[in-house]
Amino acid sequence: MSTLTLVAHALTPALRGLVLGGDAEPDPASLSAARERKLEADAVYAGPEVAAVRTAEALGLTPVVEEALRDREYGEWSGRELEELLAAEPERVAAWLEHPHTATPGGETENDVLTRVADWLGDLGEQEERRTVVAVVHPAVVRAIVLYVLDAPAESLRHVDVRPLATVTLSVHNASWSLAFT
């Protein structure tokens, strides 16, 4: 059996300001908090965002950047604040927030993200060697992976709150993932 520890990347101005997408530098204070943590792994992955890579490095890890672990693609709404979007397009934003099967203009649905991370988890779970893996990713990716492992519908997304530097550990046995409470 192998384990996978997911780490939500450090706080960024985008997370603080509810900005969709983008590639912001992480907060120095949040990186400092990451440096206080001790994680060991046989393999380390990170989403391609600067905050994910920098957080992994602050944890003392050298990640392999994995495109499948990227944040949700927000298309035309990328880089825009949620408050701004709510003021400009209230009906569209409300529909998107209420129905995760709806994509932003030119973006991904929550199901698209779930499928992408499920494929990556499937490949990881099929590896026969026993090992400890760490993946540092955007909080949205942590949510998607948790929903996938629990076989929960995308509508459950709003019930999963993932804060910066939060960790979730999963275990795999016979290519089947489970939440692992330790």
Side-chain angles (χ1 to χ4, degrees):
M1 178 173 20
S2 294
T3 61
L4 167 63
T5 299
L6 301 169
V7 180
H9 69 57
L11 181 66
T12 64
L15 286 176
R16 185 182 297 115
L18 295 177
V19 175
L20 302 180
D23 199 11
E25 285 283 337
D27 260 18
S30 195
L31 284 179
S32 181
R35 285 186 194 94
E36 300 297 318
R37 298 202 172 181
K38 303 293 181 226
L39 291 176
E40 293 183 16
D42 301 314
V44 180
Y45 298 93
E49 295 82 16
V50 170
V53 173
R54 299 263 193 288
T55 302
E57 293 168 347
L59 290 165
L61 305 169
T62 304
V64 171
V65 173
E66 176 57 58
E67 191 62 31
L69 297 178
R70 72 185 180 281
D71 184 15
R72 184 175 182 170
E73 174 55 53
Y74 294 97
E76 295 172 21
W77 290 358
S78 188
R80 295 179 65 188
E81 291 182 9
L82 188 56
E83 292 289 326
E84 166 201 348
L85 287 166
L86 281 166
E89 304 181 57
E91 294 85 18
R92 246 176 136 176
V93 174
W96 173 68
L97 289 171
E98 288 298 315
H99 306 287
H101 305 292
T102 304
T104 58
E108 290 181 296
T109 67
E110 186 62 28
N111 282 340
D112 294 333
V113 178
L114 286 167
T115 299
R116 177 166 33 92
V117 299
D119 288 345
W120 181 79
L121 278 173
D123 291 344
L124 188 65
E126 289 176 359
Q127 297 174 3
E128 298 203 15
E129 62 189 283
R130 181 185 165 113
R131 61 191 190 143
T132 301
V133 179
V134 170
V136 182
V137 295
H138 190 281
V141 175
V142 174
R143 278 194 300 273
I145 290 174
V146 167
L147 291 180
Y148 170 74
V149 168
L150 295 176
D151 199 23
E155 288 81 9
S156 299
L157 173 69
R158 64 179 168 234
H159 301 294
V160 181
D161 183 18
V162 180
R163 295 174 188 213
L165 301 179
T167 60
V168 175
T169 301
L170 309 172
S171 62
V172 65
H173 183 68
N174 292 332
S176 179
W177 289 96
S178 301
L179 286 176
F181 295 94
T182 55

